[in-house]
Amino acid sequence: MAALWTLSLLLSACLFWPACLALTPPAELPQPHNLPPSLGFNSSDGSLSVDLPMALRVFSVDYHHVQAPFEIVLWIMLASLAKLGFHWSGRVPAVVPESCLLIMVGLLVGGVIYGVRHSAPPTLSADAFFLFLLPPIVLDAGYFLPGKLFFENLGTILWYAVLGTLWNVLGIGLSLYGVCLLAPSSLGDISLLHCLLFGSLIAAVDPVAVLSVFQEMHVNDQLHILVFGESLLNDAVTVVLYKLFESFLRLPSVSGLDVLLGGCRVLVVGLGGLFVGLFFGLVAALTSRFTSRAQVIAPLFVFLYSYLSYLTSEMLHLSGIMAIVTCAVTMKQYVEANVSERSKTSIQYFLKMWSSVSETLIFIFLGVSTIQDVHMWSWSFVCSTLLLCLIWRATGVLLLTAVVNKLRRNTVTFRDQFIIAYGGLRGAICFSLVFLIDDFPKKRLFITTTIVVILFTVFVQGMTIKPLVELLDVKRKKRALPTVSEEIHSRLIDHLLAGIEDVVGYWGQHYWKDKFEQFNKKYLRRFLIRDDHQAPSSILRVYQELERRDQRGDEEAPPLVDTRSDSRPLLPEEMDSIRRILSRNLQNFNNKTRAYSRHTLHQDATMDRTRKPLHRHQSLGERYTFNTQGEDGEFSGSRRGRAGLSRSHTVCSMSPRPVLQDSSVPGATSQTRGLVDPKSSAARKEQISPQHQAPVGRTPKKQLSFVSESEKQQ
Amino acid sequence: MGFNGTSPLLDQRGELRPEDFGAIRELSMNPIGDRIISAFFSPGKETVDFASFVRILAHFHPTETSRSRDGVQPEPANSRTRKLKFAFQLYDQDRDGKISREELLQVLRTMLEMQVTEEQLQSIAERAIQEADLDQDDAISFDEFRKSLEKVDIDHKMSIRFLS
């Protein structure tokens, strides 16, 4: 019921706004025919006015003045309302991926505008797409890239990205040319170079589309990183091939030397983008080191430098996507160590927000731009393109995987291969690239075909891939939390493998990882991080994460097999728990960046109850041992508490509480109250009750939940 | 450091000593380097010959899942159980078949080095033992060790593709 109501609200909003748009003459669009004359431009400053001659205008509307930003805001508003409505619409999100729905909304809006104005609605200009809409999405993807997994699979990803794209481009281009030769009547004037150009832009897997579909699917991490990494890295190849074929089209003739130069260009574009990104990433890390006195603008540097790296590489005709991804990956660990907790949260949240808006806008514009005057249809061309795309991708993946499986430790199974092949979605990049082609007679055909392919892949493949994943029983993402013992033993095995590789003299993965870590520790971290304390080990992070979850009574925390009873006097325990609470209130928990997706952000919000305490220097918190900063007097008490943290922690974790007497419990809690308030004014009161739950065992939880209830009653 | 032919550190009988391993620089920087070295030597022996060396390294051969297992054949060196046993023995220096709390603490101390206080170490070790210890004897036996790692893909983690 509510869903219907919101949907209708959304639709009316959508319809109201384009009517608005249609009635006003924007500068870049052709003049509408059906404007009533009274709304036309009368006066020199273009203001609408009641026709009072020579009198003071009490009320006037000046749309022209605010037109451009007004329209941009309205588009973004439309996109956001559509997204909102989508999530409220009941069962639809489970079946239809968000991208499909947004395209449909775009189609609707485009249709309305076309109907009202009888001319084409505004299209997505390639410049706007590449300069404004694409960078936030790629930056978000790069920032939250799971680094370890990515580098472990880097060889395979590059293999798919470079060779796979080449295979697809050449295959589709050449076979399309064959199709054109077979139907000379309708398609005779499409040359080989045109076919190759078309192949180069249609073969590329699109990161935006892949992201939006795969994030809702929760396949296993390895599969996800393979598809996603490939879609990111194939940009270099695509860009080069596209520009290559375009310049070939302009040249009078093409020689073998040009082809060779084209090959070199791939290397230059890819590596160049990489180095530009590296440079800007390091500079950003260095800048963030000095932001301690102006913490509010620290997030801005992250965005500015990334965008700068993108623009620079676009200026030099290098791969912008590679630059921005490298920049994000490089600067992440140093920036996060340098900036305050709030800045870190701001960065993450803003990234998610911008990329979300961008993605929504892209899909809506895809829908709107479909409604055009410029379509040219040819059954043979369109159908053969679709078919060839599928066939070439499937064969490419099969062949490449057969080769790469011999060199990998983890083989890519057939099911994974199928998903990789099937998940090759095309998106807005193809769309923008096709608009950039120099005009030639069959350009409209290319545009139509591109749109059809995009719509097909997004709708058909996007909608069916989820049921297919379930049908084929593809390995899904591991939901369970890692346990501390798992983490410890995994680390041990990592060290062991590194040692064995040293013994054998084999420069394997562990060897390089170790080497990089040492280099990182010795030079980079010291240079780029202010007050570098050693990065908390993953063991420590997992342990803290688990403790935090236990405190919140999270059901997913692995149960502790602990039924040992220990008789200790009550009061020191309470003192320890008080100290523990004190230090918890002021502790930094978010060491591990959870790679949450913006599609599940609302679920995260409910879990994210622990309020961050008052802004303080980043060195407090998880740096247990090297706490040199003691700015305020109020924090010194907490430091003492924190030193006692571990011991009290040990105490509490080792012993489940004996059955507490009712009388003693409220006494303890009032004591807690009394001590907590003056010591940590920063802490909010509601933190006390959830944190008063013991981290251990089931029985203590029951008892202390009683405590928190009684607290609430007081 | 290749064993035969290239290393000048071999003595004439073709055997290795702990000092030869110590010459590998990266190994000495490894937190558990000394444990790895001692894992090559059988308890009590001072040297390891080529055959034993290779036998130890055979643990790290990638597991072949297709190999059929009949009960008669002895378990291959690179099976999952043997790999886990090797890792287990890195903890269990006194070879009593259990990882005591003290042994776990020692390993943790070397791995976490300067990052944590003693109390934190205690609580991490405590938690690890609690998670794994099913029979409440305050130590981790091999079976408990194996169970706690059942979700981890040991076969792939502990393999080096050089012995093919």
Side-chain angles (χ1 to χ4, degrees):
Chain A
M1 198 50 215
L4 284 177
W5 180 80
T6 41
L7 257 183
S8 54
L9 176 70
L10 168 67
L11 277 177
S12 52
C14 292
L15 291 177
F16 159 71
W17 162 78
C20 224
L21 191 60
L23 287 176
T24 57
E28 68 263 18
L29 295 170
Q31 285 292 326
H33 307 299
N34 54 347
L35 262 191
S38 60
L39 288 178
F41 290 94
N42 300 344
S43 42
S44 52
D45 63 344
S47 60
L48 299 163
S49 57
V50 180
D51 229 348
L52 285 179
M54 298 303 143
L56 196 62
R57 295 201 180 98
V58 177
F59 173 75
S60 54
V61 177
D62 187 3
Y63 180 67
H64 195 60
H65 184 59
V66 296
Q67 180 187 327
F70 202 89
E71 284 178 5
I72 294 177
V73 168
L74 280 179
W75 274 114
I76 299 182
M77 182 74 82
L78 168 73
S80 315
L81 284 175
K83 207 175 159 75
L84 217 62
F86 170 73
H87 281 288
W88 272 98
S89 59
R91 281 233 47 196
V92 180
V95 176
V96 182
E98 202 177 289
S99 40
C100 297
L101 231 73
L102 290 172
I103 293 186
M104 285 200 278
V105 170
L107 278 172
L108 198 70
V109 170
V112 165
I113 295 183
Y114 189 76
V116 170
R117 214 192 286 170
H118 294 300
S119 70
T123 61
L124 182 63
S125 88
D127 272 347
F129 173 71
F130 278 114
L131 290 181
F132 300 120
L133 290 180
L134 187 61
I137 299 179
V138 186
L139 178 60
D140 169 51
Y143 197 81
F144 289 105
L145 199 66
K148 184 164 167 213
L149 206 57
F150 182 73
F151 284 112
E152 272 177 24
N153 291 304
L154 189 61
T156 316
I157 293 178
L158 277 175
W159 186 254
Y160 280 132
V162 178
L163 285 179
T165 314
L166 260 176
W167 171 269
N168 279 334
V169 167
L170 290 174
I172 295 179
L174 290 173
S175 27
L176 262 184
Y177 185 57
V179 167
C180 293
L181 286 178
L182 285 177
S185 53
S186 54
L187 305 170
D189 54 347
I190 304 181
S191 68
L192 174 64
L193 272 179
H194 278 126
C195 286
L196 283 173
L197 181 66
F198 185 67
S200 73
L201 64 91
I202 203 84
V205 176
D206 188 73
V208 179
V210 164
L211 242 185
S212 75
V213 165
F214 267 74
Q215 262 186 345
E216 301 170 12
M217 270 203 313
H218 302 297
V219 290
N220 65 56
D221 288 326
Q222 185 189 276
L223 182 56
H224 185 224
I225 199 73
L226 282 178
V227 183
F228 181 58
E230 182 205 343
S231 67
L232 274 184
L233 291 186
N234 69 12
D235 178 60
V237 184
T238 309
V239 158
V240 165
L241 285 176
Y242 179 81
K243 299 236 167 87
L244 197 69
F245 290 130
E246 210 181 19
S247 47
F248 281 174
L249 269 174
R250 295 190 193 135
L251 284 177
S253 66
V254 178
S255 67
L257 181 66
D258 293 322
V259 178
L260 190 66
L261 285 178
C264 296
R265 214 162 139 60
V266 177
L267 222 66
V268 165
V269 162
L271 290 178
L274 198 86
F275 283 123
V276 169
L278 262 178
F279 172 71
F280 277 102
L282 291 174
V283 174
L286 189 62
T287 313
S288 69
R289 182 182 173 170
F290 301 107
T291 57
S292 54
R293 300 200 187 173
Q295 301 216 8
V296 180
I297 60 168
L300 196 60
F301 282 114
V302 171
F303 306 128
L304 286 180
Y305 276 110
S306 324
Y307 196 44
L308 213 58
S309 74
Y310 183 78
L311 291 176
T312 311
S313 57
E314 285 289 316
M315 172 179 79
L316 299 171
H317 288 299
L318 304 170
S319 168
I321 291 187
M322 287 215 52
I324 208 173
V325 168
T326 318
C327 186
V329 168
T330 314
M331 74 175 152
K332 180 175 167 185
Q333 51 167 323
Y334 310 112
V335 162
E336 291 206 332
N338 275 333
V339 300
S340 71
E341 186 57 32
R342 283 199 177 166
S343 299
K344 199 158 80 171
T345 314
S346 310
I347 295 176
Q348 290 168 6
Y349 218 84
F350 264 105
L351 277 176
K352 289 293 177 194
M353 187 187 75
W354 267 330
S355 65
S356 196
V357 168
S358 246
E359 183 187 310
T360 321
L361 270 176
I362 288 178
F363 283 120
I364 288 206
F365 264 115
L366 262 179
V368 170
S369 313
T370 311
I371 314 285
Q372 297 239 5
D373 285 333
V374 291
H375 288 303
M376 182 194 293
W377 183 263
S378 153
W379 275 106
S380 52
F381 194 75
V382 172
C383 293
S384 51
T385 309
L386 266 180
L387 219 66
L388 287 171
C389 282
L390 289 171
I391 294 177
W392 281 105
R393 177 142 180 98
T395 52
V397 167
L398 272 173
L399 275 175
L400 289 176
T401 319
V403 175
V404 93
N405 264 344
K406 301 235 167 36
L407 304 170
R408 277 176 62 91
R409 290 192 292 180
N410 274 353
T411 57
V412 183
T413 66
F414 272 119
R415 294 189 187 137
D416 287 351
Q417 287 175 42
F418 179 76
I419 298 293
I420 294 177
Y422 201 70
L425 303 177
R426 273 70 166 175
I429 292 188
C430 322
F431 186 73
S432 313
L433 283 179
V434 84
F435 269 100
L436 287 176
I437 302 182
D438 297 334
D439 220 358
F440 75 105
K442 282 290 193 303
K443 182 173 169 181
R444 294 159 142 215
L445 177 62
F446 279 6
I447 296 179
T448 311
T449 317
T450 313
I451 293 182
V452 170
V453 169
I454 295 177
L455 289 181
F456 180 82
T457 55
V458 172
F459 275 89
V460 173
Q461 283 177 256
M463 274 205 264
T464 55
I465 200 169
K466 206 163 174 185
L468 269 175
V469 160
E470 286 171 20
L471 194 70
L472 290 177
D473 197 23
V474 173
K475 227 167 65 155
R476 310 297 280 274
K477 199 179 342 202
K478 270 193 314 198
R479 293 288 196 158
L481 282 173
T483 60
V484 175
S485 21
E486 253 178 36
E487 193 65 33
I488 295 177
H489 302 320
S490 300
R491 280 289 297 275
L492 179 93
I493 293 175
D494 281 339
H495 283 304
L496 169 64
L497 263 284
I500 296 287
E501 282 182 3
D502 291 329
V503 168
V504 176
Y506 173 70
W507 283 2
Q509 230 171 40
H510 293 92
Y511 176 78
W512 287 117
K513 218 189 319 179
D514 238 16
K515 269 243 180 277
F516 174 70
E517 273 311 316
Q518 282 165 22
F519 172 71
N520 196 10
K521 213 189 299 188
K522 226 162 120 180
Y523 300 109
L524 290 179
R525 286 188 74 98
R526 242 195 264 161
F527 185 53
L528 295 172
I529 299 186
R530 171 192 57 213
D531 303 329
D532 181 27
H533 313 301
Q534 248 182 350
S537 148
S538 60
I539 297 178
L540 197 56
R541 285 204 303 259
V542 170
Y543 172 69
Q544 285 170 343
E545 173 83 14
L546 286 176
E547 290 296 323
R548 174 166 63 112
R549 282 175 191 258
D550 274 343
Q551 270 195 336
R552 288 197 307 239
D554 199 308
E555 288 308 310
E556 280 183 31
L560 297 170
V561 186
D562 172 41
T563 51
R564 248 169 300 156
S565 65
D566 214 333
S567 54
R568 278 170 203 258
L570 192 55
L571 209 48
E573 255 189 312
E574 286 302 314
M575 287 299 298
D576 288 335
S577 79
I578 291 161
R579 256 183 250 137
R580 180 170 48 88
I581 288 160
L582 281 177
S583 40
R584 281 260 178 258
N585 285 348
L586 298 164
Q587 195 176 0
N588 175 2
F589 282 125
N590 271 353
N591 302 332
K592 203 171 190 172
T593 308
R594 284 178 298 165
Y596 52 88
S597 85
R598 58 180 173 277
H599 302 279
T600 56
L601 206 52
H602 60 286
Q603 295 164 13
D604 272 0
T606 54
M607 294 205 298
D608 221 11
R609 285 270 182 256
T610 44
R611 299 276 177 274
K612 304 293 177 296
L614 196 63
H615 164 73
R616 69 192 192 293
H617 262 293
Q618 50 88 23
S619 60
L620 293 175
E622 86 274 12
R623 331 272 188 198
Y624 285 89
T625 48
F626 302 117
N627 228 335
T628 50
Q629 253 101 337
E631 298 98 5
D632 308 315
E634 69 172 347
F635 289 130
S636 58
S638 66
R639 246 195 304 144
R640 258 181 287 125
R642 209 175 305 109
L645 160 72
S646 326
R647 187 157 43 83
S648 64
H649 217 56
T650 314
V651 164
C652 292
S653 59
M654 277 205 301
S655 60
R657 298 175 187 281
V659 180
L660 298 171
Q661 301 303 316
D662 292 6
S663 53
S664 61
V665 162
T669 56
S670 59
Q671 207 175 11
T672 312
R673 270 268 172 81
L675 276 175
V676 163
D677 285 339
K679 282 237 178 207
S680 47
S681 53
R684 312 248 180 98
K685 282 228 165 65
E686 68 254 26
Q687 257 184 315
I688 301 178
S689 29
Q691 296 190 354
H692 217 50
Q693 293 170 11
V696 204
R698 298 285 172 228
T699 23
K701 272 193 194 135
K702 268 191 250 147
Q703 289 149 8
L704 286 183
S705 58
F706 166 82
V707 164
S708 53
E709 274 166 50
S710 69
E711 256 186 61
K712 285 174 201 154
Q713 287 162 12
Q714 284 169 7
Chain B
M1 141 190 166
F3 190 104
N4 278 340
T6 55
S7 168
L9 305 164
L10 287 173
D11 68 1
Q12 291 92 336
R13 279 169 304 155
E15 288 183 337
L16 282 178
R17 302 175 169 284
E19 307 85 63
D20 303 324
F21 284 95
I24 309 171
R25 198 171 37 93
E26 289 89 6
L27 199 54
S28 52
M29 291 205 280
N30 197 316
I32 54 168
D34 47 351
R35 288 173 186 255
I36 299 177
I37 295 174
S38 60
F40 276 90
F41 298 90
S42 314
K45 289 188 65 176
E46 282 283 312
T47 60
V48 57
D49 61 353
F50 183 63
S52 321
F53 183 80
V54 171
R55 229 173 283 132
I56 301 282
L57 286 184
H59 284 113
F60 297 96
H61 197 281
T63 320
E64 289 148 45
T65 48
S66 55
R67 188 184 301 187
S68 60
R69 197 95 57 85
D70 46 359
V72 184
Q73 230 180 13
E75 204 166 355
N78 60 341
S79 74
R80 186 173 189 210
T81 314
R82 293 288 290 270
K83 289 189 203 274
L84 281 174
K85 192 92 188 146
F86 190 83
F88 187 78
Q89 273 163 1
L90 285 179
Y91 283 104
D92 188 18
Q93 293 288 303
D94 56 3
R95 312 283 166 124
D96 63 351
K98 286 181 185 301
I99 304 176
S100 69
R101 186 189 303 249
E102 206 27 61
E103 288 169 339
L104 185 63
L105 271 173
Q106 274 170 14
V107 173
L108 271 178
R109 215 169 275 136
T110 57
M111 283 208 293
L112 290 177
E113 293 182 64
M114 306 269 282
Q115 294 178 33
V116 292
T117 62
E118 190 56 37
E119 294 105 355
Q120 270 184 292
L121 264 183
Q122 295 278 350
S123 44
I124 293 177
E126 186 53 50
R127 198 188 168 104
I129 292 186
Q130 276 176 8
E131 283 170 352
D133 195 11
L134 300 165
D135 55 2
Q136 311 302 324
D137 59 353
D138 207 25
I140 304 179
S141 70
F142 180 60
D143 283 319
E144 291 164 353
F145 181 73
R146 185 167 39 185
K147 189 154 196 320
S148 70
L149 283 177
E150 60 188 357
K151 287 201 209 113
V152 178
D153 195 357
I154 295 291
D155 299 325
H156 285 116
K157 238 174 134 54
M158 280 184 72
S159 301
I160 302 182
R161 290 191 92 95
F162 65 97
L163 293 170
S164 46

